[in-house]
Structures are given as C-alpha cells and as structure tokens.
Amino acid sequence: MTTWTASADRDGCEWGNKFRVKRAFVFPGQGSQMVGMGSALAAAFAPARRLFEEVDEALSQNLSRLMFEGPESDLTLTENAQPALMAASLAVIRVLETEGGFTLARDVAFVAGHSLGEYSALAAARAVTVGDAARLLKVRGQAMQRAVPVGEGAMAALLGLDVERANALAAEAAHDEINPDEVCTVANDNAPGQVVVSGHRGAVDRAIRIARTRGTRAITLPVSAPFHSPLMVPAAEVMQQALGQVALCPPVVPLVANVSATATRDPSRIKCGLVEQVTAMVRWRESILFLKAAGVEEVFEIGAGRVLAGLVKRVDPNISARSIGMPADVEAVMKGF
C-alpha cells in the first residue's frame, strides 16, 4: 500500500497527514440505468428494500416499481433516471453498512461520482441525506430536461481522440457562418480515446461529420438534452437555488469533484461544484489519475452497470476495478472488508 501525504486542499480543508490510501468508491451517472436494477438486491436484503421505500417516500413516487418493472421509456426520462440511479447505489451502501459491518470513513479513502453520481457519493458519505439527495436529483433532472427544447440539443461520443484534439474539433464544429451562435463543447473527458461533445444538434452533427472524415469513430448518444454544456445555464440556476435550501455537511471522506478532479471535504466548495458541473466538463479521466496519484489501488463502482469500472481500467489498467450491484457482488465484497 502506498502512502499519500496531504496537507490541505486549496481552501484549507485538511483530512490528515500520511493518509494511507487504498480504496475508492465511485458512483455511476446517467446511461447506466436499466429496467430491473435494484430488484434482486431488494429481494435479497431487507436494508435495500427499506432504502428504496425511503426514496419513494421522499419523492412521493413509486420510483422503485419503475426501477424494477419499467417501462423503460419512463425510467430513461432524466427526472426519473437520476434519482433511480442514486437509489440503486445507496441500496448497495446500506446493505454493506448493515449486513457487512462496513464503515465508509474507515474502509474507503475517497468517493467520486460521474455527473449525477456525485450526489450518490455525497449521500453515501453522509454529506446529504438520502431524501434530500433524491429530491435534488429530481429537480436536477427536470431542470436539465427543460433547459433546452427536445430536439434542439445533442451529444456524441468521439472515440480515439484525446481531450485536446476533441476540444479543437468541437470549436471547429461550432464555427459556422450560417449558425454562428451554435454551441459545441467537450462535455465528458471519460478516458483516453473516449470524449463526449455536447451542444446544439446542428453543431454536434457537424462535429460527427468532421470526425468521420478524419477517420475518427463518432456516435450520437441517445440523450434528450445537451448535458454539461453552456446550454444548461438555466438548469444550473435552478440547482443553485435548490442547493441553497439544503444543508450540506462535510463528507466523512473526501469527494473527488467532477469540475476540479481534486479532493475536498469543504461544503461550500462542494455546493459550488455541484452547480458548476451542470454546465462544465466532467473531468473523469483526470479524477482517476488523481486517485492513482493519491495511492488508490482499488476502485469499486457502486450500483447499476459496469461503465465506470471499464473506464477506470482504460485510464490505468494497473488499478483494480470492479462493480458492486448484484447480491453476489455484495456478498463477495463483504467477505473482503
């Protein structure tokens, strides 16, 4: 195990010297949702069932039934997918805590989440209550969906480009004499060779054409809004107001934030980052590099899907990465803590 000496973050938030770093928990973002997620966990563990009931009550919505049974068209709506993914992640945490003797502050060095996954990470780290996190994500999903009329925005994955070349390509795509005010910007720097652009549909379509003419694979993503772009400013304003009404405590372990790719436990910085990340790039590749530099050797993806574990391995194949979402995953991990 390596040792990382940390004095303080830029706002003076100290979390100890010679902190022995080994394990990080990361939490998935939108796109990892699937009908049936969480159902096996609820069937196997009473604490998971209670967690889903807690989220249902907070939202005055039978979200768990939608998660377990669908329909998929409703689950994939942004306002449902975001709190649903958080619920699936927090159900895993609840089982680890109540059935496995797991304690986040003792057993994990850092938490991080991809986009909405930051809310899951903060709830897991007791910076915000599960109910408040669910309500914030409901508001966030609604605000992001309403920020741009359906059909006017788009996102696309550029495969094989690094973030610098993707930034240049996005800027080229946004420069159009007929539509000079269109936006195209890098939204996610996920891993080497996997960058996502976001903006007006016309500009994103131009980015796809430019990429393909240069031999780069480009794929339109099945999303209904241009997330993590300047077009999300109205949603960021909504989230600033919503977060201002919620108490946020220092997380029990540092959060590696999307917007900075550095760790903090300072609530004011975290709130600012949650507002900023609505329009800013998700710096996931850099976040994993930060964890690596801090001595993290194991990364566990908590909740639905296996997307983040795959990205971690692409950033650094020497980091052990695994997903914990099904009962068998949970039982195997509990034996190791």
Side-chain angles (χ1 to χ4, degrees):
M1 184 187 299
T2 56
T3 300
W4 175 51
T5 301
S7 57
D9 64 21
R10 68 185 184 190
D11 287 331
C13 177
E14 297 189 18
W15 53 79
N17 293 322
K18 293 185 180 296
F19 185 57
R20 297 190 68 79
V21 175
K22 181 175 176 63
R23 182 183 296 124
F25 275 12
V26 300
F27 297 82
Q30 197 163 342
S32 291
Q33 71 275 357
M34 65 192 79
V35 173
M37 66 180 185
S39 60
L41 206 65
F45 299 105
R49 292 194 294 274
R50 289 193 290 270
L51 186 284
F52 291 127
E53 290 167 0
E54 186 177 338
V55 172
D56 288 349
E57 182 177 353
L59 298 178
S60 300
Q61 176 188 3
N62 198 338
L63 184 65
S64 58
R65 177 182 293 177
L66 179 59
M67 294 169 62
F68 301 164
E69 302 176 7
E72 184 178 6
S73 58
D74 289 346
L75 179 61
T76 55
L77 292 174
T78 301
E79 66 177 89
N80 292 328
Q82 295 198 13
L85 283 162
M86 183 219 68
S89 293
L90 269 292
V92 173
I93 295 294
R94 186 69 59 86
V95 173
L96 292 176
E97 291 175 336
T98 58
E99 302 280 331
F102 160 83
T103 301
L104 194 79
R106 181 194 64 210
D107 296 317
V108 175
F110 295 98
V111 293
H114 194 285
S115 190
L116 78 90
E118 280 199 340
Y119 291 81
S120 308
L122 290 167
R126 301 185 183 279
V128 63
T129 68
V130 171
D132 280 342
R135 286 185 287 267
L136 284 168
L137 284 172
K138 189 75 171 180
V139 171
R140 185 179 185 268
Q142 292 171 337
M144 293 175 82
Q145 188 62 66
R146 293 170 181 168
V148 178
V150 174
E152 292 189 11
M155 300 180 74
L158 306 180
L159 305 180
L161 294 186
D162 59 27
V163 68
E164 289 79 14
R165 289 190 294 165
N167 270 317
L169 190 151
E172 182 180 350
H175 183 70
D176 182 70
E177 293 182 358
I178 299 176
N179 300 291
D181 296 325
E182 287 193 336
V183 167
C184 184
T185 187
V186 172
N188 300 342
D189 178 15
N190 284 332
Q194 188 182 121
V195 180
V196 174
V197 295
S198 179
H200 287 103
R201 179 168 295 279
V204 172
D205 286 345
R206 284 193 295 276
I208 292 171
R209 289 196 297 271
I210 293 169
R212 289 174 176 171
T213 60
R214 296 174 184 173
T216 296
R217 188 180 175 199
I219 304 169
T220 302
L221 299 181
V223 297
S224 55
F227 304 136
H228 301 290
S229 79
L231 299 181
M232 290 286 108
V233 166
E237 293 170 348
V238 170
M239 292 313 299
Q240 183 171 21
Q241 182 177 2
L243 285 159
Q245 299 171 1
V246 172
L248 193 70
C249 302
V252 296
V253 295
L255 171 79
V256 180
N258 285 183
V259 298
S260 65
T262 58
T264 184
R265 294 182 65 237
D266 181 82
S268 63
R269 281 188 64 192
I270 291 171
K271 278 193 175 183
C272 288
L274 290 173
V275 174
E276 186 179 350
Q277 59 131 266
V278 176
T279 58
M281 178 177 69
V282 176
R283 296 169 63 181
W284 192 253
R285 176 184 59 84
E286 294 174 86
S287 295
I288 300 306
L289 291 175
F290 174 90
L291 293 175
K292 175 67 173 181
V296 168
E297 299 169 355
E298 298 178 338
V299 174
F300 293 84
E301 179 179 11
I302 308 298
R306 302 180 183 275
V307 172
L308 297 187
L311 293 178
V312 169
K313 297 299 291 183
R314 290 187 64 174
V315 174
D316 191 325
N318 294 316
I319 299 177
S320 173
R322 60 190 293 189
S323 301
I324 312 175
M326 299 298 289
D329 303 328
V330 175
E331 290 167 354
V333 169
M334 286 194 296
K335 295 177 182 177
F337 283 126

